[in-house]
């Protein structure tokens, strides 16, 4: 039986349309999404709760710089936190070292080792933000943005250790039934976040959590950023990295 070629949609076009549908609706569950197994979801929960207890103990700012090895040490030192179990450590290693393209995240991995650290002498805390930046190019870029855009631009997220990215990514997966694909459409898996090597997020003063939505594109700060010409976004609209459009995420490292 023959078919009319004009009525046959090329497979590549179907894949692209499916991809764009998922990215456009990044916070919804889609056919083909990859989920953790039921027993893994149990370990996900206990690991996440332990990470949150560590954050409450060391403080949000310090937690952003806390290495994985130091997180383990902190967990051992406080009975209110409790040691990571062997199952939890194995689970976290699996999440870190598994190839993220298996569940749809296609970005590069700047941090190759679970034990990668952020060296305190190389960073600086940005006043009134609670966030840190690397000295050098990231700090100088932020200063230039502040100078060119004005006081209404604010640093909303700076340096993130592997530990911090673990908590963000696992929290998203936990709130969505262990859906790793959904989580990775808006949060890079641990090791894959360029926040660990210099990227940072900016927003409009007073906009709050909406700075991490497309609402930000309607603000005076975004319009000024777009007019500067020298800035690049890590995840531009229509990117093919499996990540939503992030107009707030400034690309610093190549």
């Amino acid at each position: 039986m023959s078919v009319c070629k004009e009525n046959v949609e090329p497979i590549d076009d179907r894949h692209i349309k499916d991809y764009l549908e998922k990215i456009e609706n990044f916070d919804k569950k889609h056919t083909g999404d990859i989920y953790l197994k039921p027993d893994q979801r149990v370990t996900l929960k206990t690991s996440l709760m332990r990470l949150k207890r560590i954050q409450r103990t060391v403080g949000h700012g310090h937690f952003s710089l806390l290495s994985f090895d130091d997180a383990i040490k902190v967990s051992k030192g406080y009975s209110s936190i409790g040691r990571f179990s062997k199952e939890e450590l194995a689970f976290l290693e699996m999440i870190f070292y598994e190839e993220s393209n298996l569940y749809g995240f296609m970005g590069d991995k700047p941090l190759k080792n679970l034990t990668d650290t952020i060296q305190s002498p190389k960073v600086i805390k940005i006043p009134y933000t609670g966030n840190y930046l690397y000295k050098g190019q990231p700090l100088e870029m932020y200063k230039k943005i502040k100078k060119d855009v004005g006081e209404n631009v604010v640093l909303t997220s700076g340096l993130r250790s592997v530990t911090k990215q673990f908590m963000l990514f696992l929290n998203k997966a936990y709130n969505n039934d262990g859906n790793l694909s959904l989580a990775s459409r808006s949060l890079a898996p641990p090791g894959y976040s360029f926040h660990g090597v210099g990227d940072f997020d900016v927003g409009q003063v007073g906009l709050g959590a909406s700075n991490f939505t497309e609402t930000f594109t309607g603000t005076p700060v975004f319009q000024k950023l777009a007019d500067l010409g020298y800035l690049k976004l890590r995840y531009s609209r229509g990117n093919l990295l499996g990540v939503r459009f992030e107009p707030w995420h400034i690309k610093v490292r190549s």
Side-chain angles (χ1 to χ4, degrees), residues 14-214:
R14 289 203 304 271
H15 285 170
I16 290 174
K17 287 180 180 179
D18 178 61
Y19 168 84
L20 294 176
E21 164 74 13
K22 289 180 178 180
I23 298 304
E24 183 69 22
N25 299 281
F26 59 88
D27 233 5
K28 294 182 179 180
K29 299 172 184 177
H30 296 278
T31 301
D33 281 355
I34 302 300
Y35 290 77
L36 291 169
K37 299 175 182 178
D39 61 320
Q40 292 174 322
R41 294 182 205 179
V42 173
T43 309
L44 161 65
K45 180 178 180 180
T46 59
S47 301
L48 176 61
M49 295 306 111
R50 204 174 308 283
L51 288 168
K52 288 186 174 182
R53 292 197 295 272
I54 293 172
Q55 180 176 245
R56 287 195 296 270
T57 300
V58 304
H60 286 256
H62 183 54
F63 188 74
S64 295
L65 305 180
L66 193 69
S67 72
F68 189 69
D69 281 348
D70 284 340
I72 292 175
K73 291 178 182 177
V74 172
S75 74
K76 292 178 179 178
Y78 291 84
S79 59
S80 58
I81 297 173
R83 294 170 177 252
F84 284 96
S85 69
K86 291 181 179 179
E87 292 78 14
E88 289 169 350
L89 291 174
F91 170 76
L92 294 172
E93 286 188 23
M94 182 271 291
I95 291 292
F96 186 88
Y97 287 110
E98 188 170 60
E99 295 294 331
S100 66
N101 58 16
L102 294 175
Y103 43 86
F105 186 90
M106 309 302 291
D108 293 330
K109 190 173 187 177
L111 299 176
K112 308 296 185 184
N113 302 301
L114 181 60
T115 55
D116 282 346
T117 62
I118 295 172
Q119 298 178 26
S120 296
K122 295 184 177 181
V123 309
I124 185 170
K125 191 171 186 178
I126 305 303
Y128 312 111
T129 71
N131 293 301
Y132 292 81
L133 289 176
Y134 268 120
K135 298 173 183 178
Q137 186 182 2
L139 178 61
E140 295 309 310
M141 182 175 289
Y142 178 66
K143 286 181 177 180
K144 184 169 177 56
I145 290 172
K146 289 287 288 185
K147 178 182 177 182
D148 293 343
V149 175
E151 291 303 312
N152 283 327
V153 66
V154 63
L155 177 68
T156 55
S157 185
L159 265 173
R160 296 181 196 161
S161 65
V162 168
T163 308
K164 174 73 171 185
Q165 198 66 24
F166 256 126
M167 196 190 74
L168 294 173
F169 181 76
L170 294 181
N171 191 61
K172 187 72 173 182
Y174 172 71
N175 289 328
N176 290 279
D177 304 315
N179 189 330
L180 298 179
S181 298
L182 185 151
S184 70
R185 288 193 283 268
S186 58
L187 281 163
Y192 289 88
S193 174
F194 277 80
H195 277 275
V197 293
D199 282 11
F200 56 83
D201 299 336
V202 295
Q204 170 87 38
V205 169
L207 194 60
S210 292
N211 275 314
F212 297 100
T213 70
E214 286 209 39

